[in-house]
Amino acid sequence: MSRNARINTLLLLVVVALAVLPLALGMGDHKEEPFTGADGQAETAITETHPDYEPWFSPLYEPPSGEIESALFSLQAALGAGVLAYYFGLRRGRRQGEARAQVRAENAGRAE
């Protein structure tokens, strides 16, 4: 197994562990909604400490359910990951193309 394959396997195992361990260890069992986002937890904490608090503004779009909100968040994350992957792939391709062009120019110079 090559070094890159070992690193990729190790990274995959870490990601799986991060996803499975909180569920397997029962983290959040004492909560009504154990894995809510930071926005929901912050809202709960603010309303508990300051019940008369009024938000400065309201969201432009309020999804009808939590599932739709999660789906939109996942879509946003996937689009962001796609843009980053495209950018880094483009940079790598350009770098490889420049290296190949340089090798060709050197080989052409030697042939003359």
Side-chain angles (χ1 to χ4, degrees):
M1 185 182 268
S2 71
R3 182 174 186 264
N4 285 341
R6 275 191 242 131
I7 290 172
N8 287 341
T9 303
L10 180 65
L11 288 173
L12 181 64
L13 289 174
V14 168
V15 167
V16 169
L18 285 173
V20 171
L21 280 176
L23 298 171
L25 296 176
M27 296 177 159
D29 283 348
H30 61 282
K31 295 181 180 178
E32 186 177 320
E33 295 182 30
F35 300 108
T36 59
D39 292 345
Q41 292 177 354
E43 183 180 350
T44 303
I46 289 171
T47 54
E48 286 176 1
T49 57
H50 302 308
D52 57 337
Y53 176 75
E54 292 283 332
W56 292 358
F57 57 90
S58 61
L60 297 175
Y61 172 69
E62 188 76 33
S65 70
E67 291 83 11
I68 293 175
E69 185 176 0
S70 293
L72 290 174
F73 181 76
S74 298
L75 178 65
Q76 177 185 359
L79 287 173
V83 167
L84 284 175
Y86 174 78
Y87 172 73
F88 286 120
L90 185 67
R91 281 190 54 195
R92 182 174 181 179
R94 284 184 180 172
R95 202 172 329 124
Q96 288 176 347
E98 289 171 0
R100 287 180 186 153
Q102 186 176 11
V103 168
R104 286 182 187 149
E106 289 173 1
N107 288 340
R110 288 183 190 155
E112 291 176 357

